[in-house]
Amino acid sequence: MKMHITIKKADPSELKSKPDETNLGFGTYFSDHMFSMDYVDGVWQQGEIRKYGDFSLDPAAMVLHYGQAIFEGLKAYRGKDDRIYLFRPKDNLARFNRSARRMCMPELDIDGVYEGLKKLLEIDQQWVPSAPGATLYIRPTMIATEAALGVRPSRRYTFFIILSPVGAYYPEGFNPVKIFVTDKYVRAVRGGVGEAKTAGNYAASIMAAIEAQKKGFTQVLWLDACDRQSIEEVGTMNIFFVIGDEIITPPLRGSILPGITRDSVLRLCRDWGLQVVERPITIDEVFAANQQGLLREVFGSGTAAIISPVGSLYYKDQECKINGHHTGELAQRLFDELQAIQYGHKEDPYGWVETI
Ligand SMILES: *Cc1c(COP(=O)(O)O)cnc(C)c1O
């Protein structure tokens, strides 16, 4: 379906000055324009690209009370050839629709919205940074906007896309992070909404993250809500363990987010002939493997940090130090390979990359 998009560009005098690309932080700056589209009476209305700015929301807007809110996160990369690259963008939109189904929200026409995203990127292309490690983070979001109280699906929604030039996600950059394993709090439970990128999951995670940060850790590793033993994932990353010759990541059973980076890591490792399995793995198994000298690497995967080596895990007053707190060989290889594909520096045999 061809999407009709109304474009109202900001007046040149209203354009923002660009931030220092070497000091962007994460998610603090936003580009000049945004895409938005409303859902009314069972149909998506015309999409619109306009100046980045406030919404007007009724205080009874259902998202504020019952939390129907979903989002996605992907990045635009500026290649050495100055072209703009996207990594598996339609997979993000497909996941957005899965989140929408789970939260009883309307699905998007993926091709139409993708056209809207490309148009937005074209208009704000100056916002895709070229400094090393800097990218343009893309945040598609949908919220329930009907003004009504009562727990049921909203009849109105707003979908929008905003763009934020970002630097490294963790202050550590591509350096090993320290992770706190919590058995006090849980993130999600099978049958719940853990596999949807829905706002409430992140609200629910903040308390554990703050407690971990106070103790000097970067992030929290979540365990299964029922057995408090099987490993789930980190705040915004899936997780991998290298034990002996085996690469292990927890299976998708409904409570963890099916990461696109996770899927890409699995694909690369399989293609490299490595032994990789999706299976349940407990925190006790990880600590035991470390004691036996078999735990070689731990790393996280996610769009924000791509690959994030884990230097230590802290659980029940015990520290598991990994690979002498150095970045492992596999983490480095995956990071280099993914970055090379994402920036268009290397040929992409998988059809993952789209150019604008
Ligand atoms: C977004 C996210 C991930 C990573 O997904 P990618 O598609 O690789 O970016 C992992 N875990 C959680 C909880 C997330 O929100």
Side-chain angles (χ1 to χ4, degrees):
M1 194 171 73
K2 190 96 185 92
M3 161 110 65
H4 291 281
I5 302 169
T6 319
I7 298 175
K8 292 185 213 146
K9 280 200 210 177
D11 189 82
S13 67
E14 298 175 313
L15 299 182
K16 305 171 189 171
S17 56
K18 304 279 187 307
D20 172 7
E21 283 190 5
T22 61
N23 195 18
L24 290 169
F26 196 93
T28 41
Y29 300 99
F30 297 95
S31 75
D32 288 313
H33 296 87
M34 64 193 285
F35 175 90
S36 74
M37 188 169 74
D38 290 329
Y39 183 86
V40 186
D41 296 333
V43 272
W44 284 109
Q45 310 295 302
Q46 200 165 49
E48 178 181 71
I49 292 174
R50 59 177 163 95
K51 192 173 91 166
Y52 184 98
D54 293 354
F55 287 121
S56 147
L57 272 188
D58 191 290
M62 291 180 88
V63 64
L64 304 175
H65 305 271
Y66 311 113
Q68 273 182 301
I70 58 171
F71 64 92
E72 265 305 322
L74 63 158
K75 283 171 167 177
Y77 303 84
R78 188 177 292 282
K80 283 186 198 134
D81 54 6
D82 218 32
R83 288 210 294 177
I84 296 168
Y85 293 84
L86 295 173
F87 185 70
R88 307 184 65 174
K90 291 204 179 169
D91 290 333
N92 285 92
L93 295 175
R95 185 171 66 191
F96 191 84
N97 275 350
R98 292 203 300 276
S99 297
R101 278 201 293 278
R102 180 63 182 85
M103 302 306 291
C104 302
M105 298 167 85
E107 291 179 45
L108 300 168
D109 163 35
I110 291 180
D111 292 327
V113 166
Y114 184 57
E115 288 309 305
L117 170 62
K118 281 201 294 192
K119 193 79 210 156
L120 177 65
L121 286 169
E122 229 174 270
I123 292 172
D124 275 351
Q125 54 182 288
Q126 304 295 340
W127 284 88
V128 183
S130 42
T135 55
L136 187 70
Y137 188 76
I138 302 166
R139 168 55 56 90
T141 307
M142 191 196 324
I143 55 172
T145 51
E146 182 186 346
L149 298 182
V151 181
R152 57 163 175 82
S154 169
R155 294 190 192 102
R156 281 176 178 254
Y157 297 88
T158 294
F159 169 76
F160 58 93
I161 307 175
I162 54 176
L163 308 173
S164 173
V166 299
Y169 187 64
Y170 297 124
E172 290 91 336
F174 186 66
N175 283 310
V177 292
K178 286 172 67 182
I179 289 195
F180 186 80
V181 184
T182 180
D183 55 4
K184 180 175 168 196
Y185 300 109
V186 297
R187 174 184 175 272
V189 65
R190 269 174 268 163
V193 295
E195 65 185 342
K197 241 175 154 67
T198 186
N201 285 336
Y202 305 86
S205 74
I206 293 172
M207 184 174 262
I210 286 179
E211 285 183 19
Q213 277 156 17
K214 277 195 194 136
K215 296 184 183 120
F217 297 90
T218 313
Q219 274 280 0
V220 170
L221 177 66
W222 303 102
L223 300 177
D224 180 277
C226 300
D227 67 23
R228 307 269 170 124
Q229 258 295 312
S230 309
I231 290 167
E232 296 256 291
E233 62 176 322
V234 183
T236 54
M237 302 192 299
N238 296 112
I239 191 142
F240 289 80
F241 300 86
V242 186
I243 297 180
D245 289 328
E246 197 178 43
I247 305 160
I248 305 151
T249 195
L252 303 176
R253 294 191 293 190
S255 50
I256 70 177
L257 210 286
I260 291 164
T261 321
R262 173 188 182 277
D263 184 73
S264 309
V265 165
L266 290 173
R267 184 70 197 270
L268 288 175
C269 288
R270 284 180 183 132
D271 280 9
W272 290 341
L274 303 173
Q275 193 187 328
V276 45
V277 288
E278 295 167 80
R279 67 156 170 90
I281 175 170
T282 65
I283 189 67
D284 284 351
E285 180 182 346
V286 171
F287 272 65
N290 194 42
Q291 291 227 306
Q292 293 158 9
L294 293 172
L295 181 65
R296 288 162 52 192
E297 288 188 43
V298 180
F299 57 87
S301 71
T303 297
I306 310 301
I307 297 292
S308 182
V310 175
S312 61
L313 291 170
Y314 195 84
Y315 173 65
K316 287 198 194 295
D317 296 326
Q318 291 204 335
E319 192 191 10
C320 167
K321 198 167 167 188
I322 301 138
N323 195 31
H325 218 275
H326 295 300
T327 298
E329 217 175 283
L330 181 62
Q332 185 72 55
R333 185 178 178 197
L334 285 163
F335 181 76
D336 293 343
E337 184 77 7
L338 283 168
Q339 291 279 96
I341 294 174
Q342 286 163 337
Y343 280 92
H345 297 166
K346 183 168 181 172
E347 187 157 359
D348 162 27
Y350 304 105
W352 284 341
V353 160
E354 308 276 343
T355 51
I356 300 290

